[in-house]
Amino acid sequence: MMGTPATTDKVVVTPIYWAGAGYTFPAAYKTLLNQYLRDSATDSEKVTNVFSTLFEYGGSNGKIHYHFQVGTPISDSTAFPAAGCTTNPGSVYADNTGYTTCLDDAQVQSETNAVLAAHSLTRNLGHMYIVFLPKHVESCFYAGNPSNQACTINSTASARYCAYHSEFGGNTVYANMPFPIYQSATLFSCTAEKLGGSTSTIQSPNGNLDADVEVSPLSHEMAESITDPDANTGWYDTRGYENGDECAYIYGALSGANGAFYNQTINGHHYLTQDEFSNADFAKTGGGCLQRYQPVTPTVTGLSSHAGSQTGGVTVTIRGTGFAGATTVQFGTTVATFTLIDSTKIRVITPAHAAGTVDVTVQTSAGTSTVTSADHYTFS
């Protein structure tokens, strides 16, 4: 898993906009996608958006902590290599244009590797690189078998994907994000086109159709990368579905007006993204697709230390369950400064307090932990 204690409990997400000669990204497209990444980072640790479902997941290297940082966006003008796959013909985009070149996965990996090397960027499970491709650039797996390519949405038989994520070279985690497809003659789309009751209306809460559509597959690939970074040994179900696949094109309750529907408010801005999967909700309701983590009443099961000075200033780790979205930690009635590590651990600095034994409690929007002998702390 990414974003665990093994990688300082965070994931640094760096966007790379690769547009070779003759290809460009609209400036507003990049601006909105960068805003979305910054907003998701600003709302880190909160349980008010879809990424907070990550608090439920953990692996052999620890529990995931929803804490994003955004690396400096990179504009890459390196010329595209000769097509590494057979470019599919036909109309693909809403304006009836199609692809003019094709990149295979090896070429995407090679350019990602070159960019990371040129910028001396870190490669581990605390860093993710999002490679955006401009309009008219297709990408394909299995390039050595043109009759069986697995490619982005196109007019011929293929995998028809909107994006994918993977890993290479030992923990270099990346996602390939082709330019979004909607209202296409292929009849395939990177968004649910009937949310407004008509296929003629694409939901665009920010007034930028391309970027608003791209936000959802971006969210999908980020969540999958964090829970299954190598697309092989992380989280997936018995069908091979990752957590994003479980809720693909499921958006839940919507707000706003038709044409600008949204289901996420992140750092004050509106976005439309697919839900993400919750094992806890699936076990409880048989559903599983949520727009945000559902807080539960926290429980304190232990403290790393049960005694300290009246002057405070001692670092104590609180262990328990249901800590995601913690708002307050108290020693008796005295509020303490704390850092949420993950849904089972909080690091707190003891406050100054008169001599005596008190209960340490944790509060979330779901309630306050019940006091037990496990939460006793003595000031002396």
Side-chain angles (χ1 to χ4, degrees):
M1 302 292 174
M2 302 183 74
T4 70
T7 53
T8 64
D9 299 304
K10 67 182 179 183
V11 177
V12 180
V13 183
T14 302
I16 300 170
Y17 297 92
W18 183 17
Y23 297 85
T24 61
F25 290 100
Y29 179 80
K30 296 168 64 174
T31 296
L32 183 55
L33 294 176
N34 289 339
Q35 173 188 285
Y36 175 71
L37 293 174
R38 290 194 304 271
D39 286 345
S40 298
T42 299
D43 265 16
S44 286
E45 302 184 8
K46 298 179 182 178
V47 289
T48 54
N49 71 70
V50 74
F51 288 120
S52 59
T53 58
L54 295 171
F55 277 120
E56 288 192 12
Y57 292 86
S60 59
N61 61 341
K63 294 276 289 183
I64 292 173
H65 181 39
Y66 167 34
H67 184 183
F68 292 169
Q69 292 183 6
V70 182
T72 301
I74 297 172
S75 294
D76 179 13
S77 60
T78 302
F80 289 132
C85 36
T86 302
T87 305
N88 280 292
S91 173
V92 175
Y93 299 100
D95 62 4
N96 292 320
T97 62
Y99 298 118
T100 55
T101 192
C102 184
L103 301 174
D104 65 27
D105 185 53
Q107 292 173 319
V108 174
Q109 287 189 19
S110 177
E111 185 61 17
T112 304
N113 188 54
V115 170
L116 269 57
H119 292 266
S120 300
L121 296 174
T122 303
R123 306 159 188 259
N124 62 23
L125 294 181
H127 292 76
M128 179 193 310
Y129 299 96
I130 310 294
V131 182
F132 292 98
L133 298 178
K135 192 173 182 179
H136 305 303
V137 177
E138 187 176 22
S139 65
C140 295
F141 287 104
Y142 314 132
N145 185 359
S147 64
N148 191 32
Q149 292 185 136
C151 307
T152 23
I153 292 173
N154 56 75
S155 57
T156 60
S158 183
R160 295 191 176 101
Y161 59 77
C162 292
Y164 67 82
H165 73 94
S166 191
E167 174 269 345
F168 68 89
N171 293 336
T172 301
V173 181
Y174 72 103
N176 175 12
M177 302 295 305
F179 208 75
I181 306 298
Y182 54 87
Q183 293 179 325
S184 172
T186 66
L187 303 181
F188 286 83
S189 179
C190 294
T191 188
E193 299 195 1
K194 295 183 179 180
L195 289 179
S198 168
T199 56
S200 63
T201 302
I202 305 298
Q203 304 305 317
S204 180
N206 296 282
N208 185 315
L209 279 173
D210 294 324
D212 277 319
V213 171
E214 187 77 341
V215 161
S216 189
L218 173 57
S219 166
H220 175 119
E221 297 304 331
M222 289 172 63
E224 288 187 343
S225 295
I226 291 168
T227 54
D228 187 22
D230 66 356
N232 182 41
T233 60
W235 191 93
Y236 54 90
D237 70 8
T238 55
R239 297 174 297 176
Y241 283 14
E242 296 175 300
N243 64 334
D245 300 325
E246 297 281 3
C247 302
Y249 300 102
I250 296 174
Y251 297 88
L254 303 174
S255 299
N258 188 16
F261 282 146
Y262 63 92
N263 63 3
Q264 300 278 295
T265 300
I266 308 178
N267 193 32
H269 297 125
H270 299 322
Y271 302 101
L272 180 67
T273 75
Q274 65 167 56
D275 291 357
E276 289 297 340
F277 190 75
S278 162
N279 287 287
D281 184 72
F282 177 75
K284 183 178 180 180
T285 70
C289 294
L290 299 178
Q291 293 178 349
R292 61 190 57 82
Y293 176 83
Q294 298 295 326
V296 296
T297 303
T299 301
V300 175
T301 59
L303 309 175
S304 62
S305 173
H306 287 269
S309 168
Q310 297 177 54
T311 59
V314 177
T315 300
V316 174
T317 299
I318 305 171
R319 298 183 299 276
T321 60
F323 292 165
T327 56
T328 308
V329 174
Q330 292 182 228
F331 283 68
T333 58
T334 304
V335 175
T337 300
F338 72 93
T339 301
L340 178 65
I341 300 174
D342 57 44
S343 61
T344 64
K345 292 189 290 296
I346 289 175
R347 185 179 299 114
V348 64
I349 306 298
T350 61
H353 197 283
T357 298
V358 299
D359 292 294
V360 179
T361 56
V362 176
Q363 182 176 342
T364 71
S365 60
T368 302
S369 58
T370 302
V371 298
T372 69
S373 59
D375 64 39
H376 287 175
Y377 188 88
T378 300
F379 291 92
S380 59

